[in-house]
Structure formats: structure tokens, C-alpha cells
Amino acid sequence: MAPIQSLFSPQLKAPRSKQKQLSNGVNKSANTHEREGHSVSIMASQQLAPIANVAERVGREVEAFAERLDAWRDIRESENSREATFSLLDDYKSIADSTVDTLGKKHGSKHHEHMQNLFADRVKKLQMTEGEDGERLFQSEADLSKPKDVEEFERWQQESETWDLLVTILQGEAFRLHMDGQVKNAIQELSRQRLDQVKVTDVWNEFLLKNPLASERYFVIKWLETTAEHTGDDLGIIAEQLEAKAGRDSGIWSHGWLDTREQIKGTKRLRRWDWSKPGSSAPRVPDSTKTRNVISTLDPDAPFREDGGLEANDQFFERSVWLTCYELLRRGKNPAEVRQWFQDRHENWRTVSLGAAVGSGHMVKSPQEIYNHSLWRQTCLMAAQNPKASEYERAVYGLLGGDFMPVELVCRSWDDLLYANYKAILADEFAEFCRSRFPKYMPEALSKLGGANAPKRVDPDQPELTAWGLIEDLRDGTLAGKEARTPLKIIQGSFIGHDPQMLIARFSASIADLQGRGGQVILAEQGSKYLRKQDPFLAMATDPNALRIMVHLVLVLQDLEHDSLFDTTERIQAGDNIIVGYIEFLKKARKFDLIPLYASFLQDTQPEQILGDVLEPIEDSRERRSFINMLKNYNLNTVEVLKSHYGWALSKTGLSNKHEKPFELEMLEETEVGLWPGHRIKAEFFEDDVTADEEMVIKSLEWFLLLEGNWVETFQVLTQAIRTFLVKGRIAAALAVSNRLSTKSISELKTVSIFGMPVDVSIEEDAEDILEMIGNRKAGKFGTRSIPPGGQRKLFTLLRAQCKTYKDLENLVQALRALRNWRTVEDNTGLAGDTSVYQRASKEETKHAYGDVVASTQPLLGKWLTTSTDTNEAKEHKLLRNIYVPQTILGYNSVLDIASKRVTKDAALYSMELPGSIASDAHDLAASNSGADLAGAFLETGMMEALVQSLTRTSTTMLKLNQQSTIRGKKPKKRGAHGETLEIWDPNAPTCPAEES
């Protein structure tokens, strides 16, 4: 399939700094393609999935998506288009959810087991490490191996989440403002608002309403909390694993630092503690191993005040509690749920410790609450930076206070990092809003108590670039870089960063790159992972699921954001290229009935041109009819599609090359004068076999038989095809066209709807009888108009004229076939050898071959190939006459010469007719100034002398035959078409032969 070559570097409506980065990104990608092209090609050849396996990798979802798209296509014009489009996105999510449910029933136990193993490893590391300050605790989950079934289950879960995210982003005001370049103006409106101008009822809601980017971040945070429910560790698994590892069953799990308490009690029994003396310090309590000290009191802050820790099990218990708390917050559990979890485990003091911070900013309703919230946030920030706290305790307070760095250390995925960043950014934005909007409730001194470590600050001049820069950092980071290069994360990141133009542009460029390397490839999963390291977008283009998501995403964006995302020809072509890539995939998956639907959405690219490239694998007649019906359903030009398919097939053969050296026919070989007039038909002067490329062209022509009507278009294409084959010397292919697509069969097929009966309009001899039969039947219909009886003759004549050129070329091909067959008969029957060898059993075969030659060649001696539609066609017809006519007639005469000696003397009569036919044809055509006479072909090719010699030698044969008849006392009775008889060579014959009664 020919790629759309006009790809582009997107021109975003963003500051120039971003445009430059985007442009560099595309250029970098292009350079990477060129630099790594060789290795990628080798990898593709090694990892390419067989085409037969592509269909196996395509599930029911491909058809389900097409069904929803088809329904949306019908209703979007009659209903609210935007509302219908978001309903379509919901439908896509429903398909993914349904697949998740199905896979969950099949592989749910495997997934549960995998999650148990995953968390067991996590707990094991939690036991082994002390959580050094600044040291990352876990590796990325993307680096961990998973069973294939689990991987598929989680991929579909992630797809469902992706569709959910897209609805969230596309419905939000921030995305629309960004596409229109108005985000900065919207946010600047905040600084112009004051307390005395607006009656405040909810500070947090006012903040979200007046800052569309912050509002979007808030909803993305909520989305990330939902994804954690799906993809994170199950809370039940967490509790089960922690209880087991802590060495406690569920009954005593929640009774605090049990081992440390016992150690303190044991130490007190051995010696008395006196805290009453001034300056007395806490007693030293050794742990159970006598290698270090533990705390001497059970106060919650004792580990921070004393130079001691906890017993190993208690230390693990403490870290586990904070881990669970972190997971609760990561999942967005409401304050009541978090408090209840601690209360159920008799850890009420932790509920007090978390306090109002559990609710974060959205708990702030009135301006009076701003001070308390801000003070508590600063407290959380200080707790998050406490070096003596465990990693998960710091992470919990980091989430609550908006400090990114402590949270980053426990992150395990792209989602975790994005969540931590967005929480920090949103906390900073809200604090800045409160400071600007309600300055008297936000004393400057309060902000000096502590500071958040948010890696991304919102630039007031370019607020829309915050998310974009964050996504870029995640992609380049060590923890989430690998995961960020997966298809779904690329899509999610592009929309969170408001960068769909780059997504479409680079994905389109990758599809074109693959097509430029010889066609779209669908890689096995391992190959796709390998390629992802080199170019994630190129790997994405080899992923059938990513391709499916992208094409439906493009169609949605074409409807929702056409004016901003598809506002130039280059951008429209990029969208079209993705659709074309999906069409190619459907072709390989043999989902032919779905292809016209997607082709109907092409905007700049002619769908007929694209569809012409996908018909080749469809060979079953029922599938072909179904495909044509689908073309009609989507108002696609069926004839142009079939023409395009023929052109595509022809281009594969190389026959469309007009600079190729003209074909030279070598049909004759010289012989001694005797049985032949100095020449005979050369054996095998054209090959029998039709090449695979030629067969592909012929099959493309057979599509036209399925069209009802389209008489002119059908014969135009057939004429062009058979003429091209003949001009290039592909006689076997031309013969196959003639045999499989004869004028007779096509005429009888297509005239039923015209005359009400099958009619061969190319027959001239029985035309009157046919017209009489038509007149006796009920009038047929041509289109929607009944044909009046008087118009049947005119229509019959018109149809014959419109197929005449094809019929003429068909006659030439059949003549060449008959002449070649004659030579085969000569060799097989011994016709040219000793007459004693020539057995009677061979005579019938010879007579049949002779009759075939005469019947097939005679049509060439009349007005053959005399009409042309334009100058170029006239030149090609002249070329055909010069290539084929002289040698065909000379070969025909050689057959007549030997046939008159071996088969029937009457063959000489046909030879006698040749000079008259050639001269008559020249006279008639000279009068019409067509210049298409047979004699002209001999003159222009310099073969007139050979013709004269051949006819002279045949005349000698006639004289000898007449003499033999005279000796035997027999008179020839048969006459030629113009009254010719062999008696003209008898000197005793009367001047005017008597007419026979």
C-alpha cells in the first residue's frame, strides 16, 4: 500500500520554546529511523509474525469497535455530534471492560497469584532494607516479568482506563482552551478576583472553577486513584501478607509494638528505673539480640526522641502500617475510611496524627479554614522530611503535604510518579491561590515554616507547559522510562500533556516509515519490546491493539477538535495515514467487510485509491459481493475502487513502464519451399504459463463481472488490460483474459438487466434473430427507464460498438492461440512428415485444428481495430497492427498452404482471398482516412515483399493441386467468398464458369 508521503512537523499553538522542542523531537525521530534502519529491518525480519497468525491475534474487539463506530457514523449527523462522540468513547470503554471481565474469568486466578508473588517480593524487600534516606526502595514494575495471560489481562485493564482518561481530558475546559491557545488568559483571571467582589461559599471549588488546568489535574489525580484500585496491590492481599510476615495472626495484628513492649518489661524486672532525678536520661534497653538498643517508652514519638529503635518484628510492623496507610491514600480512600482502618487496629493515635490533612485541600470550605489548613500542611511537610521516619511514613506525609521527593522513593510505576507530582503541583497551586485570593488568611511567615520539594513548578507565563514537561521527564527517567515508552502510556501522556498533535504526527510518520520499508509489519510481542528501546513510536505502529486505539482516537478527534488538530492539509493527511495503516492491518487480518467503513472517513486521501490496494486477497465470490455491497452502503465509488485495484495490480507487474523497449514478435521460422511457402509457425512462439503478477491483474479484472451494469467502464478496463498485455508481448496473459472474460460471457451476464435475457451483442450474423427474440419478450429496463421497442435496435448497436475494440483484440488473441495450436498438431500428428506415417486417426484432430485457425483468423481480415477514442489509443492500435498483423497473416497463409496439401484442397481458396481482403481493407479505410489498413502494416514493417512471396508460392501450390485434379478427372466445386475457384489455374477452363444449379 502506497504511504502518504507528505508528513509534517506539527505547528502547535504554544510558545515558541515548545514548538522548537516538538520540531526537534520529530527530527530526532527521523534521524533515529535513518540511523537504526538497518538493525530495525533485521529485527523485523526475525520477529515478523506470519500473516496467517495476524488473524489469530485479532479478537472480537475489532468487530465490536467497528460496530460502535458504524452506529455513531449514522447518528452523529442527526443528533448532537459532541454528545454522541462522548457516548462513543463510553462504548469503547465498555468493550474494554467487557474484555477485562471475560479475561478475568479465564485468568483471574493467575492474576491474583501474580499479585501475591509481586507483593511478597515487595514485603521481602521491606524486611531486608532499612530504607536509607534518599534511596529508592523499589524497582519499576515494568521491569518485572509477567505471565502472558496476566500481561494481556492488565493491558486490557489499562486500555479501559485510557478511554476513561480521554473522556476526562476531552470533556475538560483546559484541553479546549489549550487547543485554542487561551489557557494563560483564563488563569490570569484569578489575580483580578478579590474577596469583596465574590461571595465565597467554597474556597476549594472556587479554586478549581477558576483554574481549568488545576481542575484537570484534580480529575487526573482522581483517575490515578481509580487506576490504583485496578492495577495496585489488593488491600486484602496486603493485610494477609503483612500479618504472615509480621508473625502475627489477624487477632493480634493490631496490638502495637508487642515485642518491644515485652523487651521493655523484661528490662524493668532486672533493674529499677528512676526518672525523678534531675538530668536523668532514658535507660538503655537492649534488643533481644543484644546488638542494639530499643526505645524505653511506648510513646508514638519515642523512636524519634530516643537513640533507639524497635524490635525487628515491630519495626516491620511499623513500616507495614505506614505502607498500608500509603496504599489507602494512593487509592483515594476518603478520610472516614482511613480513620476507620486505624481504629479497627487500635491505632487511634495515628488518626489524630493525620488529622485534617487526610482531607487535603478540598476540605477547605471557607476562608477562615485556610490558615488551619496551611499550618497543617507545613506540619506535614516537615514530617515528610524527617530523616528518622520510615520511608512510607515520609511518603504518607509527603502526599498529604504535597512534597514529591519522599513519595518518589516508594513509587513503583509511571502512575505513581505522575500521582506524586500532580499532588505536589496541585498543593502548590492551591496555596498560591489562597495567598493571592485571601492574603489576610495566609501570613507570609507561615510559608517559611517549611517548603515542598515539587520538581515542577507552574510557570505563570507558560502554565500549559507544566504537564507537558512532566510527561517528558517521566519518559526520560530511570524508574518509569521503560513503561513510558509503552503504547498506552504514550497515549495517556500525550493527552495529559495536551500534546495530541505530536502523538498523531509521530505515529503517522512511523506508519509511513514501515510502509516505506516494504509494507506494514505486525511484530510478535517480543519483537515489539525490542523495537520499543530504539523507537517507541515505531514499535507502537507494529502493535495491532495500539493501531486500533489510535485510529478510533483520530476519528473522535476529527469530530471534536477538527479545527484545531486538523486545520492544515498536512495534519489531515497524518490522520488519513493512520486510517490507511489500520485498513492495511484489517486486510492482513482478513476483516474485509470492515474496511469500507474506515475508508469512508478518509478526508484528504481518495478512499478509492486506498481500497484498490486491499482487494487482492479477496478471492471468494461471496466475499467479493459482500465487499461491493459494503462499498455501496458507504457511498463509495465502486467502479473507481475496481479501477484503482486494476491499476495497483498492473503496477506490480511492471507493465505500466512506458519506457520499456517495444516487444518484437518472433512467430515464424524459415523453411524450404515445399510443404510451406518458405516459412512456418514457430513452435512455442509464446509461453503457456501465466505469471503470478499477471494472474493478479486478471483477477482484478474479474471483479468487474460482479457489477450490475457499468458496461462502458467494464469494457474500457478490459480493453486497456488486454491491449497492455499484447503491447508488452504477454500473449499467454492476454489469452487468459480472453478465455476467462470473453465478450460473449460478459455480454450475456450484463444484458439480462437491460434486455431481460442474456444476449451476446458481439454476434453479427444472428443479430436480427436476436433482436426479434428480444422484441417478443417483455421489455427490460436500462437503469430505471423502460426501453421502448424502437430503441432496442439502437441500444443493441450501441452496446456492440462499445465493446468492439475489446472483441477485436480478443479475436487477435484467439488467432494467435489457434496458430500456435496448429504447430503443435503438426508436430504431434506427423503431418509434416511422410504421408505413410500420417495416420487416419490424426486426420480429425488436424481438421479441427485447421478449422479453428480459419475461424479465428478470418475476423482479422475485415475492419479490425479501426476505431480509437483518442490519439494515444490510436498509436497503440497502430503499434499492435505492426507487431502482430504481418506475421499473423503470413503464418495463416503457411497453414493454408500445408493444409491444402494434407487436409483439404479447399484451404487454397482462403489463400486466394487474402490479396483481395487486404486490398479491400486498404481501400475502405483509405476512404475513411483512418489509416488502419492491413496493407499499411506490411508496408511500415517492411514485410510486404515477404507477403508477396508467400502468396506467390501458395499460387504455385494451387496450380499443382488443380493439375492433380485434372489428371484425376475431378473438378473443384467449392468456391471462395468472392466466387474464387481453383479452375482459374486450369488453361482449359471456360472464361466464365457456369453457375451451379
Side-chain angles (χ1 to χ4, degrees), residues 25-46:
V26 173
N27 294 335
K28 180 180 178 182
S29 173
N31 294 336
T32 301
H33 292 176
E34 182 177 354
R35 183 172 61 254
E36 299 173 342
H38 180 64
S39 61
V40 173
S41 297
I42 294 176
M43 180 278 303
S45 64
Q46 294 173 343

Side-chain angles (χ1 to χ4, degrees), residues 460-739:
D461 295 325
Q462 297 178 324
E464 69 276 12
L465 295 188
T466 303
W468 180 82
L470 172 59
I471 296 302
E472 290 294 302
D473 290 347
L474 292 180
R475 186 193 64 188
D476 297 334
T478 55
L479 176 65
K482 182 177 180 180
E483 185 182 2
R485 287 171 170 79
T486 59
L488 289 172
K489 289 306 176 187
I490 290 175
I491 294 172
Q492 292 174 7
S494 296
F495 278 85
I496 291 173
H498 293 171
D499 204 5
Q501 289 173 341
M502 175 63 81
L503 171 68
I504 294 171
R506 292 192 62 183
F507 189 70
S508 171
S510 297
I511 288 177
D513 190 0
L514 291 176
Q515 291 172 339
R517 299 181 188 193
Q520 185 199 47
V521 295
I522 302 297
L523 294 182
E525 183 63 26
Q526 191 62 30
S528 184
K529 287 181 179 178
Y530 174 85
L531 183 58
R532 201 174 293 152
K533 298 177 183 178
Q534 300 186 9
D535 188 325
F537 281 92
L538 204 60
M540 187 175 170
T542 69
D543 184 335
N545 288 306
L547 187 57
R548 170 179 51 79
I549 295 170
M550 279 299 300
V551 74
H552 292 93
L553 182 55
V554 165
L555 296 177
V556 165
L557 292 176
Q558 284 179 345
D559 186 75
L560 294 177
E561 300 293 339
H562 187 277
D563 292 342
S564 57
L565 291 178
F566 302 95
D567 55 343
T568 66
T569 301
E570 291 80 6
R571 290 175 177 175
I572 292 173
Q573 288 176 342
D576 281 358
N577 205 28
I578 294 174
I579 298 174
V580 170
Y582 191 63
I583 288 174
E584 177 69 12
F585 164 70
L586 292 175
K587 169 187 172 183
K588 291 181 178 180
R590 298 193 68 82
K591 300 289 184 181
F592 300 116
D593 282 354
L594 306 183
I595 291 175
L597 167 64
Y598 292 91
S600 69
F601 286 99
L602 292 170
Q603 297 186 2
D604 186 71
T605 309
Q606 290 295 326
E608 292 79 13
Q609 174 189 353
I610 300 303
L611 290 171
D613 294 4
V614 304
L615 301 186
E616 184 259 333
I618 310 177
E619 296 185 359
D620 182 76
S621 60
R622 288 176 297 179
E623 287 186 345
R624 287 187 169 191
R625 291 184 187 279
S626 175
F627 192 87
I628 287 178
N629 289 335
M630 296 301 292
L631 293 177
K632 295 176 181 178
N633 289 343
Y634 294 107
N635 299 319
L636 297 168
N637 192 323
T638 306
V639 175
E640 289 303 316
V641 171
L642 300 190
K643 284 184 177 180
S644 174
H645 178 46
Y646 159 71
W648 171 82
L650 192 66
S651 68
K652 297 297 182 181
T653 66
L655 294 174
S656 55
N657 182 11
K658 296 183 179 180
H659 302 291
E660 192 176 298
K661 183 180 178 181
F663 168 67
E664 295 181 2
L665 180 64
E666 296 180 1
M667 180 179 174
L668 305 175
E669 61 184 13
E670 294 184 0
T671 63
E672 294 183 1
V673 178
L675 286 175
W676 302 276
H679 53 263
R680 68 185 295 199
I681 306 295
K682 182 183 291 187
E684 309 293 337
F685 69 86
F686 68 85
E687 298 291 335
D688 284 325
D689 298 331
V690 175
T691 67
D693 287 344
E694 293 166 352
E695 179 64 23
M696 186 164 54
V697 175
I698 298 169
K699 287 181 177 179
S700 75
L701 299 174
E702 291 175 338
W703 278 88
F704 286 87
L705 296 178
L706 303 177
L707 296 179
E708 183 176 349
N710 300 109
W711 177 276
V712 174
E713 293 84 354
T714 299
F715 279 104
Q716 282 178 344
V717 175
L718 290 175
T719 300
Q720 182 185 357
I722 197 170
R723 182 169 57 225
T724 300
F725 281 141
L726 288 170
V727 168
K728 300 297 183 178
R730 308 288 186 92
I731 301 174
L735 178 60
V737 173
S738 174
N739 290 338

